[in-house]
Amino acid sequence: IYLKKTANHFLNKLEPKFKKIRHQIIEGETFDSILNQYLVDKKEIQNLKDKLSKKINLNNLNTNQKIYLTINQSNNKIKSFTFQISNKEKILLSKNEEDNFKQEVILTKLDKRIVYQENIILKSLYKSATDKRIPVNTIVELAGIYGFQIDFQRDIRKKDRFQIMYEIFVDENGRAIESGNILFANLILSGEDNSLYYFDKEGSTGH
């Protein structure tokens, strides 16, 4: 018992002063309940809410959003707090020497890439497109731009093909963040091309 108490004493001494936490919001959580579970000082929570409420609706948290915080475990105050608004934008709050929060908006720089894919349609256009890891938003747009001329139930037969060239935007790690325009698409149905090209001329855009 003595040795166990002694070991715990030294382990507690070795525990880092600042604890880093990554929290992904789940359904039903509130801003207060999240920070309360990490024993954050109540005044600190209110200070954060005062700062963030000008930029974020804290009453409507999204389950895709993430929170990163660094807590000073000696007083349960926050050293830094990052709230992910979207894949492209974060808000960083960090303490200055006067123990006040300094706010900074961090924008993720995205690079545009052009991707070309083609595939044979065996079961459905959607299945063949997802097999090539084409983003769902791009597949939906593809169906939309052909919606007035193609009946997807009747016109597409097994072993028809598609071709598509589209934009994606990636972060510095090469991770796809969002999709852009479809620049070219072609549904080859019963051997016949049905090509569409993207145009942007004098404020008018379409295919």
Side-chain angles (χ1 to χ4, degrees):
I1 293 172
Y2 174 77
L3 287 173
K4 186 177 180 180
K5 287 182 177 180
T6 304
N8 287 337
H9 172 77
F10 283 110
L11 285 173
N12 290 335
K13 291 293 184 181
L14 291 171
E15 188 176 0
K17 180 179 179 181
F18 297 105
K19 183 177 182 180
K20 292 185 177 181
I21 296 167
R22 174 188 179 276
H23 183 98
Q24 180 158 349
I25 297 170
I26 62 175
E27 188 174 354
E29 285 187 318
T30 65
F31 188 79
D32 286 60
S33 70
I34 292 168
L35 295 184
N36 282 332
Q37 68 180 279
Y38 297 116
L39 305 178
V40 176
D41 182 82
K42 292 189 181 300
K43 289 184 178 180
E44 287 286 89
I45 296 175
Q46 189 58 50
N47 288 340
L48 285 173
K49 291 168 71 173
D50 292 341
K51 278 283 186 181
L52 293 170
S53 59
K54 300 173 184 177
K55 183 77 175 178
I56 305 166
N57 181 4
L58 295 175
N59 295 319
N60 187 25
L61 299 179
N62 192 313
T63 54
N64 293 324
Q65 291 171 314
K66 297 181 181 67
I67 290 174
Y68 303 86
L69 58 155
T70 302
I71 300 176
N72 185 337
Q73 297 191 96
S74 64
N75 56 15
N76 291 332
K77 289 190 174 183
I78 291 175
K79 185 175 185 290
S80 66
F81 180 96
T82 304
F83 190 95
Q84 182 180 358
I85 299 175
S86 67
N87 285 322
K88 296 187 294 183
E89 186 176 5
K90 298 176 182 177
I91 291 182
L92 169 64
L93 298 177
S94 53
K95 283 287 184 66
N96 58 22
E97 294 179 356
E98 288 77 33
D99 202 36
N100 295 319
F101 284 114
K102 176 186 175 184
Q103 182 172 304
E104 180 182 358
V105 176
I106 301 173
L107 298 175
T108 302
K109 181 183 177 182
L110 301 179
D111 293 321
K112 182 170 72 173
R113 293 183 183 174
I114 307 299
V115 178
Y116 174 81
Q117 294 284 6
E118 61 178 78
N119 204 3
I120 298 172
I121 302 171
L122 296 176
K123 292 184 178 179
S124 68
L125 175 63
Y126 181 83
K127 177 67 168 59
S128 299
T130 54
D131 285 347
K132 288 293 183 178
R133 297 186 178 181
I134 297 172
V136 172
N137 288 346
T138 302
I139 299 173
V140 171
E141 184 184 356
L142 178 65
I145 63 178
Y146 277 106
F148 293 104
Q149 65 188 84
I150 301 294
D151 185 328
F152 290 95
Q153 298 297 322
R154 297 180 180 181
D155 295 340
I156 296 180
R157 294 176 173 84
K158 190 175 181 179
K159 294 190 178 180
D160 284 339
R161 294 189 295 124
F162 76 86
Q163 301 168 324
I164 185 171
M165 184 179 292
Y166 58 95
E167 301 169 331
I168 61 167
F169 296 88
V170 300
D171 62 16
E172 58 187 8
N173 298 315
R175 184 170 62 99
I177 299 300
E178 62 181 35
S179 55
N181 295 310
I182 294 175
L183 304 178
F184 163 77
N186 186 20
L187 288 178
I188 305 165
L189 308 179
S190 300
E192 182 179 341
D193 289 320
N194 295 271
S195 302
L196 293 175
Y197 299 85
Y198 179 75
F199 69 86
D200 184 354
K201 187 176 181 180
E202 298 177 356
S204 178
T205 62
H207 291 85

